[in-house]
Amino acid sequence: MPRTEFISTGFYVPERVVKNDEFTQWMDTSDEWIKTRTGIAERHWVADHQATSDLAVEATKLALDRAGMQASDLDCIVFATLAGDYMMPGAGVFLQRKLGITNIPCLDVRNQCSGFLYGLSVADAWIRTGQYQRVLLVGAEIQSIGLDLTTRGRDMAVLFGDGAGVAILGPTSDEGRGVLSTHIFADGRYAELLWANLGGSANRPRLSAQQLEQGMHFPQMQGREVFKHASTRMPASVMESLTVNGLTTNDIKVLIPHQANMRISEMVQKQLGLRDDQVYNNIDRYGNTTAASIPIALDECVQSGKLKRGDLLVLTAFGSGFTWGSAAIRW
Ligand code: UT7
């Protein structure tokens, strides 16, 4: 079976940059609190005319261009987001339409911050079995329009940013390279520790003015619990991806942890005993972009030359569900 290689990558973030100080006009917070507790200095927020698939289109155009491909060369779209353009259908078909193609399948993945890894796992299996040859894997999010920008929501509001990152995946005949393995996990016992409890089929009524007044449509999180799980599950899944491939932490050229909190990344690094140069973080500039955080960071590593052919890349993520995972890739 062929392995899956990353043919090209691309990312897009909207123009508007929101610095920490801006939040002080809406809520009781400070640049100092946000920087010390999260490592975030700024994030990008969308303009009113932009939906999630619009961000994905921009990132996709870049990746297609770099691969020397047309949209018509793609034979499948896997779109990871928790922020679809509409309640239904998922964002994949809107991206497909905007790319001007009609005859390929679109899979929508909703595994939040782990979405890109879950999507990679599926795309990798499809490519290895020969079902698809050119898969567009997308992680894209718009968080900014769904945040509680009052002191009540300050623990969540300051964390998130908007953006999109994509990868075009295909089979490689080079036996030494490609996705070595993916490892995805979930534990639904913790679903309510990071969730948005509105608009789904469990609610009666599905949506009411009273629920909106209570702010039930905003995502809610028990931050400390999520922090604890994130900082232990990610290193454990990284170790699994290394062990099954007969590798050690010394072999890692670049580890990209999901960008949820700089302190979480530092704990992951410490537990794995990695040097600073082995771990890539950009949360200071983008905040937490959920499913987009890994592909945005990945594209930065590729474009800056930090990641070179033959290097061992490890990805790891953790998010709502709880869901988490890792992937080992020989670049
Ligand atoms: O992406 C998916 C997964 N998400 C994550 O992994 C996020 C995990 N959790 C976290 O990153 C952190 O828990 C947070 C950044 C959300 C919070 O940091 P923390 O150090 O755990 O703070 P805390 O929740 O324990 O709150 C400490 C204090 C509280 O005040 P009191 O009760 O001590 O008076 C909060 O009300 O900080 C307060 N606080 C804030 N103060 C200023 C919470 N948010 C803010 C804020 N500005 N934005």
Side-chain angles (χ1 to χ4, degrees):
M1 273 191 199
R3 284 217 176 104
T4 301
E5 73 166 341
F6 284 67
I7 298 169
S8 72
T9 55
F11 85 91
Y12 170 81
V13 287
E15 257 173 54
R16 180 179 169 198
V17 175
V18 178
K19 292 191 180 292
N20 290 343
D21 276 336
E22 243 184 270
F23 286 85
T24 59
Q25 66 186 304
W26 304 307
M27 63 185 71
D28 179 13
T29 190
S30 65
D31 176 48
E32 205 245 325
W33 191 97
I34 301 170
K35 274 201 186 123
T36 338
R37 298 288 181 124
T38 73
I40 300 166
E42 59 189 42
R43 73 287 289 144
H44 292 247
W45 282 7
V46 282
D48 283 345
H49 66 276
Q50 291 176 306
T52 304
S53 64
D54 294 312
L55 310 190
V57 168
E58 297 304 322
T60 302
K61 283 183 184 161
L62 207 53
L64 284 170
D65 217 36
R66 288 173 177 159
M69 287 168 56
Q70 310 286 321
S72 55
D73 296 326
L74 300 170
D75 57 12
C76 181
I77 293 173
V78 179
F79 198 128
T81 186
L82 61 71
D85 295 14
Y86 302 97
M87 183 84 87
M88 61 174 263
V93 293
F94 294 101
L95 172 61
Q96 184 212 44
R97 190 166 78 186
K98 286 169 187 172
L99 291 172
I101 45 180
T102 52
N103 56 348
I104 63 169
C106 301
L107 172 70
D108 294 291
V109 174
R110 46 177 301 183
N111 290 95
Q112 302 69 243
C113 302
S114 312
F116 191 79
L117 276 179
Y118 266 70
L120 178 61
S121 190
V122 173
D124 177 45
W126 278 341
I127 288 167
R128 279 188 289 114
T129 55
Q131 186 156 351
Y132 300 111
Q133 307 288 317
R134 293 287 179 266
V135 180
L136 174 66
L137 174 60
V138 181
E141 302 286 1
I142 292 179
Q143 292 276 11
S144 59
I145 62 161
L147 298 170
D148 181 357
L149 292 179
T150 69
T151 298
R152 177 181 68 177
R154 65 182 178 175
D155 59 329
M156 292 290 274
V158 299
L159 299 179
F160 293 98
D162 305 334
V166 307
I168 298 174
L169 306 169
T172 173
S173 49
D174 183 345
E175 277 183 23
R177 292 179 48 243
V179 176
L180 305 180
S181 61
T182 62
H183 307 266
I184 51 177
F185 308 92
D187 190 339
R189 288 177 299 171
Y190 302 102
E192 289 86 359
L193 297 192
L194 176 49
W195 72 331
N197 170 24
L198 203 60
S201 62
N203 285 300
R204 303 289 184 282
R206 187 170 186 172
L207 199 59
S208 72
Q210 196 191 3
Q211 291 163 336
L212 290 174
E213 265 162 39
Q214 289 166 353
M216 281 173 62
H217 55 301
F218 294 122
Q220 281 150 23
M221 172 169 71
Q222 294 193 22
R224 284 189 191 177
E225 276 304 301
V226 177
F227 191 109
K228 215 165 60 191
H229 282 267
S231 51
T232 52
R233 307 275 201 191
M234 284 198 279
S237 71
V238 167
M239 284 316 296
E240 181 155 342
S241 67
L242 293 173
T243 309
V244 302
N245 291 295
L247 298 163
T248 72
T249 50
N250 287 333
D251 296 309
I252 297 179
K253 179 70 197 306
V254 183
L255 171 73
I256 299 178
H258 164 56
Q259 300 292 289
N261 184 321
M262 191 58 195
R263 288 188 296 142
I264 294 177
S265 290
E266 285 166 358
M267 287 185 75
V268 170
Q269 175 179 342
K270 195 168 161 206
Q271 285 181 61
L272 292 168
L274 298 174
R275 302 179 308 272
D276 286 352
D277 67 277
Q278 289 177 290
V279 184
Y280 190 78
N281 292 298
N282 60 13
I283 191 167
D284 56 324
R285 287 173 287 133
Y286 303 115
N288 179 348
T289 56
T290 329
S293 93
I294 288 179
I296 289 175
L298 175 58
D299 190 42
E300 286 194 338
C301 288
V302 176
Q303 303 313 322
S304 67
K306 185 170 174 60
L307 194 59
K308 296 200 173 60
R309 184 162 276 223
D311 287 343
L312 181 69
L313 165 70
V314 179
L315 310 175
T316 185
F318 180 89
S320 160
F322 293 151
T323 57
W324 66 99
S326 66
I329 297 145
R330 184 64 68 187
W331 194 253

